[in-house]
Amino acid sequence: MTAHAREALPASDALLQKATRLDAEDCLARYRDLFVGADTELSYLDGNSLGRPLKRTAGDISSFIEKGWGGRLIRGWDEEWLDMPQAIGDQLGRAVLGAAVGQTIIADSTTVVLYKLIRAALAAVEDPARTEIVVDTDNFPTDRYLVEGIAKEEGLTLRWIEADPASGVHLDQVREAVGPATAVVLLSHVAYRSGYLADLPAITAAVHDAGGLVVWDLCHSAGSVELQLDAWNVDFAAGCTYKYLNGGPGSPAFAYVNDRHLPGLAQPIWGWMGRKDAFEMGPGYEPAAGIRGFLSGTPAISGMIAMRGTLDLIDEAGMAAIREKSRQLTAYALELHDAWLAPAGVRLATPRDADRRGGHITVDHPAFREVTAALWEKDVIPDFRAPQGIRIGLSPLSTGFAELHRGMAAIRDLLRRPEPQPEQHCCRFDKIATRPVN
């Protein structure tokens, strides 16, 4: 097609042709067929809340039930299961986090892992004058609630960074907030609302220059953004595995502890599985050496099965290619926003700079609460974030450009219609808005 002919196309046709071309050129396109439901007309734009399952996961879980759990029964603990938290943790560290072996483990929920990490970081601070925890006002609620509770428990002071929900926490803000009283800083690498990508290496260095330690929440970056935790000298990090890692609803979180902190690490939840000899069942608690000391209770074995498949895919595809597709997907989403949604009064709440943007974009409009409910009825699944935002979450391994085009077109079409009637959808959406995702 000539350039003149392309210019003559209606904008919607040109954008669809671009989606078709991008799908044809996508080096990761072959992976889409490996996911359940990716071959349907449903447009899934919420991969940053809950990833699609791999087709192999049904077989993996069935094999575990029939051969592992059902066949080996309690022998499975000695034969494999006791080692799974660290074995899968090491694979995740290598493939996703840029972490050497022995620093990553699968354990608990993100909330519990973050609690352990924050308390462990505080215990590692020896200077009694360091009595402040730094956190931003727009961090995910769990992160904020945790530090509020810990500060109350320990008699510490919270120093709040006033974060713009559309732009996130900047390096200069961190430099201004940290100082001689700083003990620990807790930040999210990718902001859960806007998708803003914080300058993790520079912020980490700034906190260290001030004498503090930093805990990073990687929930919205692990599996979407390239990470080099060892090279960036990160102290502690946590993240969930049910988003870009496709571990399934409630799959256990991961904890990363830089090996320089592991000797003498004092994590606060002493449980039998984190003891030096768990099966001795003896008096007193002596933590297991290394990252295994970060365990507490019995590992969630069935919750780890699904993430193995995605980690194998990431090992094969490489995070560099995954990140490049993530950038292309969000750039195309911005193009669709500019062409279709901005003229309808929709406001972009995500950075345009690809270097400051994670794996999702957020757009705002007063009608989006009702629009989201109507979209769900049409098998277009984005994520609503109060008060008036839709998040477009794009999982690089399972999301296609034509799928994104269909979903954004549906948003456009609903905005072109008369104002949605709240009473038609509000009851259904009350359930949607309160589901347990971040």
Side-chain angles (χ1 to χ4, degrees), residues 22 46 61 78 88 101-102 156 231 273 297 310 324 335 388 427:
L22 289 170
D46 206 3
I61 292 176
D78 292 327
I88 297 178
V101 300
L156 302 174
M273 196 55 67
T310 297
E324 178 57 29
E335 189 174 352
Q388 58 180 23
C427 294

Side-chain angles (χ1 to χ4, degrees), residues 135-148 160:
V135 66
D136 68 283
T137 55
D138 200 51
N139 210 334
F140 188 70
T142 275
D143 302 56
R144 292 184 277 113
Y145 302 158
L146 279 171
V147 292
E148 290 182 60
W160 293 95

